[in-house]
Amino acid sequence: MIDALRDDVASGVPVVDVWQRFEVSGFIARALARAASYGDLYRILRDNGMPIGFRPTDVARWAAEGKISKAEVGEIFGLQDSEIDPFIRCMDFCRRKLAPAGSRNNMSVPEGDIMGRQRRSQRNVGTLEQIA
């Protein structure tokens, strides 16, 4: 039974599930899923047909708008302090440049402390398609 649990966690599926609900930090998710970067966490979501609860561009926008701190951005994606500002600038630039004119990517920040301490009603963020 322990081996089955170990294999399940190593697949990354349960790890990215709780990561996308802000219940575990990017540092922990990356370590458990043996992911070299946050991009690997998104690959696990894609490869397993799992919904994406938040995208890097969403999180960068939240930080640029002052809705979350830069430290929270680092915690969400498992970034080192020196990587946070360039990440926010790059993702915010991409969001603005790549978004079609008049598009509405209005995914909002869950209420409460971003890393898993939001109200129970806010835990299932859902996909962008469900929110829009």
Side-chain angles (χ1 to χ4, degrees):
M1 182 160 167
I2 291 174
D3 289 337
L5 179 59
R6 184 181 308 117
D7 293 342
D8 195 30
V9 170
S11 77
V13 172
V15 175
V16 295
D17 179 50
V18 295
W19 172 65
Q20 282 283 289
R21 289 183 281 149
F22 303 107
E23 294 179 9
V24 65
S25 77
F27 290 109
I28 293 171
R30 287 173 54 185
L32 290 172
R34 298 183 182 111
S37 71
Y38 70 87
D40 291 337
L41 299 175
Y42 281 100
R43 281 186 218 30
I44 294 168
L45 290 169
R46 180 199 63 205
D47 293 350
N48 290 283
M50 299 172 72
I52 295 174
F54 59 86
R55 300 181 189 279
T57 52
D58 298 321
V59 176
R61 180 175 44 88
W62 300 338
E65 294 172 352
K67 294 180 179 177
I68 63 172
S69 71
K70 291 178 181 180
E72 287 174 310
V73 173
E75 192 173 344
I76 290 168
F77 291 110
L79 300 173
Q80 300 300 320
D81 289 344
S82 63
E83 299 172 316
I84 297 170
D85 283 330
F87 171 85
I88 292 170
R89 284 193 304 272
C90 179
M91 288 301 147
D92 194 48
F93 176 81
C94 290
R95 179 188 58 82
R96 288 184 280 115
K97 286 294 186 187
L98 299 177
S103 71
R104 290 190 50 206
N105 184 355
N106 292 329
M107 186 168 182
S108 60
V109 175
E111 291 181 25
D113 186 318
I114 199 79
M115 289 308 297
R117 294 173 285 270
Q118 62 271 69
R119 290 190 336 221
R120 256 192 213 290
S121 64
Q122 295 294 323
R123 288 241 170 137
N124 294 321
V125 175
T127 65
L128 290 174
E129 291 77 25
Q130 292 170 329
I131 293 169

